[in-house]
Amino acid sequence: MATWRQLSNRYSRTRWANELSYGDAAGYLPLRRSIADYLRFSQRIACEPAQVIIFASTQQALDLCARLLLDPGDGVLMEDPGYPGAARIFAAAGAKVVSVPVDSQGLCTEPPLPVQPDMRLAYVTAAHQTPLGGSLPLERRLALLSWAEACGATVIEDDYDGEFRFHGQPMPALKSLDAGQRVIYMGSFSKMLFPSLRLAYMVVPGWLAEPCRAAISLTMRHAPLHQQAVLSEFIAGGHMARHVHRMRLLYGERAQHFQQECETRFDGLLSPIPVSTGLDATVLLPAHASDAQVAAALHRGGIETRPLSFYSVQHKAPPGLVMGFSAFDETAMRQGMDGIEKVLEGLALKP
Amino acid sequence: MATWRQLSNRYSRTRWANELSYGDAAGYLPLRRSIADYLRFSQRIACEPAQVIIFASTQQALDLCARLLLDPGDGVLMEDPGYPGAARIFAAAGAKVVSVPVDSQGLCTEPPLPVQPDMRLAYVTAAHQTPLGGSLPLERRLALLSWAEACGATVIEDDYDGEFRFHGQPMPALKSLDAGQRVIYMGSFSKMLFPSLRLAYMVVPGWLAEPCRAAISLTMRHAPLHQQAVLSEFIAGGHMARHVHRMRLLYGERAQHFQQECETRFDGLLSPIPVSTGLDATVLLPAHASDAQVAAALHRGGIETRPLSFYSVQHKAPPGLVMGFSAFDETAMRQGMDGIEKVLEGLALKP
């Protein structure tokens, strides 16, 4: 935060006076360069700054994709359970959402994905599946790309927190395998830095760059320059890589601590799915439990979770809860776990 | 700028650490309060903070209105010549744009506006018509509101630069006459402050506040908090009112200077429409001239203008140019005028 503050103050003193007017609708060019350089190194994605488009949020990027790529009735392939914020955007565009089941490795590509001529889009969280947590294996990634090629569809790879991978070799991004120019890679700074910043980006295939710029120019103009400029220097100065490295260690410790607490405390009532990536963990409840009821009881006890049923459309997820662990140090974690224990005791969840 | 910088640095030092997370989709509450207070005083608009919705830009606000209020085939009443950025948004929503002619007082309400059941929206620049510069008289404002009542339509009042009124009593905003809850008032800080800030707002009728919040939450989440917080303090501390007062005097002098230069230099070739408001002036060319050709020649000479024909859809505007005057001090204005003279001499515009 001190570094960010310094960069922000320096921008105000030096370049701000020359950057008061309108900017490029696709985003501040130095930021787009910084992101392209960063992704080359961190995700092995080879892209030009012209392919990097800046948004206020992933949500806005998804909305623009839906408006540019979908007509009412077009098919969109979605993970189920999956991210409801994306499903709602596609539904609002009048698209037909085709649900594909998910297992512990992410989107299931067996039985084969439905090749239909009206399929226009797929949305996947390949690095860290929302909400079950899997990382899509290489053969499934290739199957998804073949499906896109066969349908003439585009794939959105929403990498909302893939930077925070705690162990194992990270899989190359789907975008890095995108020989056919069919993948849109999305990233956000809400989880890498902080949500009130409101900056996110897409890396688009070359053919989509100009349509994106035109649509943003019409529907928003562009994101604020000051924040874009500070972020650009934060990345270019190496602060982002250092921050992510530090946070990866910290969040990794917290993930482990979360898992230990779950295992030692709840007598099998909460079974955490091992956390390899990100800021949230998924814990499974006994098979007969209603996760919506448990989440409501926890909410009344001051504890915010999301039931897995919230993420399901057609394919029922097992009862479970998504819980954030990354914001809590040891003391706060212990207090939270005490609170959860108290609520669960009152629920008589044991069979 | 020094004041803004101070407020921004103070925010970074004090409140930022507590406002890193997500905020209200409708906007930062202190900013919405500041705007409501400001409008009560400056535009005699009585509104609650709950009716003030924060956007990145007027363009984004227009887009959201079109998505919430229009179905394909719905009618939208537009000034012609008028603001193409709005017309394009409505066309993108599949609306049918109904052009109404404009005279020196703005939107013509005689012959009476077309009362049709499929009219859903009107878009007007009542304080300062884009591009002809008129300010809509009271009887026309009332006629427009009656039309909206008769059709069940909503009126968007885009007050993009009405704060900069140089003489005469400002007309009360259309929104201040809105007994029927049919007017959306839009304002932007791009012209009051600076465009790279990317903040604008709408004041909506009560019935539209929650749908707006839900739609923004889905399609963007919200605008960045830092800029919203600084702007809020800038307004609440009285800096905005002082800034607008100072700029109104300065821009008024520049408008007068622009007009004098036009009158003394061009031997009747450029007839400025008297400037009462805003940052741009409209000058008329001889009746036989092609304003697009003149604008293209000026562009080649390094001078940016917009031909009036750019703003016309169905009702032809007289040939003319929209020219910004507010950014130029006496020396820069003289140099610009020298440049224009040189280009016009080469064009043989005289009959």
Side-chain angles (χ1 to χ4, degrees):
Chain A
M1 289 181 74
T3 304
W4 186 273
R5 209 181 271 125
Q6 266 169 27
L7 293 174
S8 177
N9 292 354
R10 194 171 72 193
Y11 178 80
S12 293
R13 281 196 317 273
T14 56
R15 284 153 50 206
W16 179 44
N18 299 318
E19 297 185 340
L20 294 168
S21 193
Y22 293 96
D24 187 335
Y28 189 69
L29 187 57
L31 175 59
R32 295 158 71 207
R33 276 201 206 105
S34 295
I35 291 173
D37 290 344
Y38 185 86
L39 290 177
R40 207 167 294 131
F41 151 79
S42 82
Q43 300 288 339
R44 297 183 243 166
I45 294 174
C47 63
E48 296 302 313
Q51 293 172 261
V52 179
I53 318 278
I54 308 297
F55 290 87
S57 61
T58 299
Q59 211 58 28
Q60 192 182 40
L62 286 170
D63 185 43
L64 198 94
C65 286
R67 297 176 84 178
L68 284 176
L69 299 174
L70 295 177
D71 286 319
D74 283 347
V76 179
L77 194 147
M78 285 278 300
E79 299 161 340
D80 184 11
Y83 175 52
R88 277 200 292 267
I89 288 281
F90 301 137
K96 179 189 69 184
V97 171
V98 175
S99 290
V100 173
V102 165
D103 64 18
S104 63
Q105 298 190 302
L107 187 85
C108 296
T109 53
E110 283 300 332
L113 299 171
V115 174
Q116 293 159 11
D118 64 347
M119 296 301 289
R120 282 283 154 276
L121 209 58
Y123 171 88
V124 287
T125 50
H128 182 214
Q129 204 271 330
T130 298
L132 295 184
S135 170
L136 205 63
L138 186 62
E139 65 273 18
R140 294 196 188 182
R141 291 176 188 237
L142 296 173
L144 179 61
L145 292 177
S146 299
W147 168 87
E149 200 64 52
C151 301
T154 305
V155 177
I156 296 176
E157 175 180 28
D158 183 355
D159 191 8
Y160 58 100
D161 68 0
E163 287 287 329
F164 298 122
R165 189 174 174 88
F166 309 129
H167 37 71
Q169 191 60 18
M171 200 67 59
L174 205 56
K175 181 69 188 162
S176 74
L177 309 169
D178 181 28
Q181 297 289 294
R182 301 208 162 269
V183 178
I184 298 169
Y185 178 88
M186 286 186 185
S188 160
F189 297 100
S190 289
K191 291 178 180 64
M192 279 170 84
L193 292 170
F194 55 101
S196 70
L197 174 62
R198 314 312 298 137
L199 285 173
Y201 62 92
M202 300 201 298
V203 180
V204 300
W207 56 269
L208 195 52
E210 275 311 307
C212 274
R213 183 202 300 265
I216 296 173
S217 173
L218 184 63
T219 59
M220 172 177 84
R221 296 279 185 250
H222 61 82
L225 290 195
H226 187 122
Q227 318 292 78
Q228 291 192 73
V230 175
L231 176 56
S232 164
E233 305 221 336
F234 193 80
I235 299 172
H239 306 294
M240 180 70 88
R242 277 193 291 279
H243 170 72
V244 165
H245 179 72
R246 257 203 320 268
M247 291 300 107
R248 193 184 289 139
L249 293 179
L250 179 70
Y251 296 157
E253 282 167 18
R254 289 180 176 179
Q256 210 173 357
H257 187 211
F258 175 87
Q259 201 147 332
Q260 283 162 357
E261 287 274 344
C262 284
E263 282 162 3
T264 54
R265 273 174 187 259
F266 300 108
D267 200 15
L269 281 184
L270 296 188
S271 324
I273 296 178
V275 181
S276 65
T277 307
L279 314 182
D280 302 315
T282 300
V283 299
L284 298 179
L285 293 166
H288 64 283
S290 153
D291 54 17
Q293 277 174 18
V294 176
L298 287 169
H299 173 76
R300 286 191 298 273
I303 303 208
E304 298 304 329
T305 65
R306 275 272 165 73
L308 279 185
S309 53
F310 172 76
Y311 299 86
S312 286
V313 179
Q314 216 174 303
H315 301 281
K316 216 166 147 345
L321 300 169
V322 177
M323 304 173 98
F325 61 79
S326 56
F328 306 111
D329 63 16
E330 283 206 27
T331 312
M333 182 87 74
R334 203 174 319 114
Q335 287 167 349
M337 288 290 180
D338 289 347
I340 294 172
E341 257 187 326
K342 215 153 91 186
V343 171
L344 293 189
E345 273 164 22
L347 286 181
L349 281 177
K350 287 203 189 142
Chain B
M1 289 180 73
T3 304
W4 185 273
R5 210 181 271 124
Q6 267 169 26
L7 294 173
S8 176
N9 292 355
R10 196 173 68 194
Y11 178 80
S12 293
R13 281 196 316 275
T14 56
R15 283 154 50 208
W16 180 44
N18 299 318
E19 296 185 340
L20 293 169
S21 193
Y22 293 96
D24 187 334
Y28 189 70
L29 187 58
L31 174 59
R32 296 158 70 207
R33 277 201 205 105
S34 295
I35 291 173
D37 290 345
Y38 185 85
L39 291 177
R40 206 167 294 131
F41 151 80
S42 82
Q43 299 288 338
R44 298 183 244 165
I45 294 175
C47 63
E48 297 301 314
Q51 292 171 262
V52 179
I53 317 278
I54 307 297
F55 290 88
S57 63
T58 299
Q59 210 60 26
Q60 192 182 39
L62 286 170
D63 186 42
L64 197 92
C65 286
R67 296 175 86 179
L68 284 176
L69 299 173
L70 295 177
D71 286 318
D74 283 347
V76 179
L77 195 147
M78 285 277 300
E79 300 162 338
D80 185 12
Y83 174 52
R88 277 200 291 268
I89 287 281
F90 301 136
K96 180 188 70 184
V97 171
V98 175
S99 291
V100 173
V102 164
D103 64 17
S104 64
Q105 298 191 299
L107 186 85
C108 296
T109 52
E110 283 300 330
L113 299 171
V115 175
Q116 292 159 12
D118 64 348
M119 297 300 291
R120 282 284 156 274
L121 209 58
Y123 170 87
V124 288
T125 50
H128 182 215
Q129 204 272 330
T130 299
L132 295 183
S135 169
L136 204 64
L138 186 61
E139 64 274 19
R140 295 196 188 183
R141 292 177 187 235
L142 296 173
L144 179 60
L145 292 177
S146 299
W147 168 86
E149 201 63 51
C151 301
T154 304
V155 177
I156 295 175
E157 175 181 28
D158 183 356
D159 191 9
Y160 57 102
D161 68 0
E163 287 287 328
F164 298 122
R165 185 171 178 90
F166 309 130
H167 36 69
Q169 192 59 18
M171 200 67 60
L174 205 55
K175 181 68 189 163
S176 73
L177 309 168
D178 181 28
Q181 297 290 294
R182 301 207 161 271
V183 178
I184 297 168
Y185 178 87
M186 286 186 185
S188 161
F189 297 99
S190 289
K191 291 176 181 65
M192 279 170 85
L193 292 170
F194 55 101
S196 70
L197 175 61
R198 313 312 298 138
L199 285 173
Y201 63 93
M202 303 202 296
V203 181
V204 300
W207 56 268
L208 195 51
E210 276 310 308
C212 274
R213 183 202 301 263
I216 296 172
S217 172
L218 184 63
T219 60
M220 172 176 83
R221 296 279 186 248
H222 61 83
L225 290 195
H226 187 124
Q227 318 292 80
Q228 291 192 74
V230 175
L231 177 56
S232 166
E233 304 221 336
F234 193 80
I235 298 172
H239 307 294
M240 180 69 89
R242 279 193 290 279
H243 169 72
V244 165
H245 179 73
R246 258 202 319 269
M247 291 299 108
R248 192 186 287 139
L249 294 177
L250 180 71
Y251 295 158
E253 283 166 18
R254 288 179 177 181
Q256 210 174 357
H257 187 213
F258 175 87
Q259 201 147 332
Q260 284 163 358
E261 288 274 343
C262 284
E263 280 162 3
T264 54
R265 272 174 187 258
F266 300 108
D267 201 13
L269 281 184
L270 296 189
S271 324
I273 295 177
V275 182
S276 66
T277 306
L279 314 181
D280 302 315
T282 300
V283 300
L284 298 180
L285 293 165
H288 64 281
S290 153
D291 54 17
Q293 278 174 19
V294 176
L298 287 169
H299 173 76
R300 287 191 298 273
I303 304 205
E304 299 305 329
T305 65
R306 274 272 165 75
L308 279 185
S309 53
F310 171 76
Y311 299 86
S312 286
V313 179
Q314 217 175 300
H315 301 282
K316 214 166 147 348
L321 300 169
V322 176
M323 304 173 97
F325 60 79
S326 56
F328 307 112
D329 64 16
E330 284 206 24
T331 312
M333 181 87 76
R334 205 176 315 116
Q335 288 168 349
M337 289 290 180
D338 289 347
I340 295 172
E341 259 189 326
K342 216 152 93 187
V343 171
L344 293 189
E345 273 164 19
L347 285 182
L349 280 178
K350 287 202 191 143

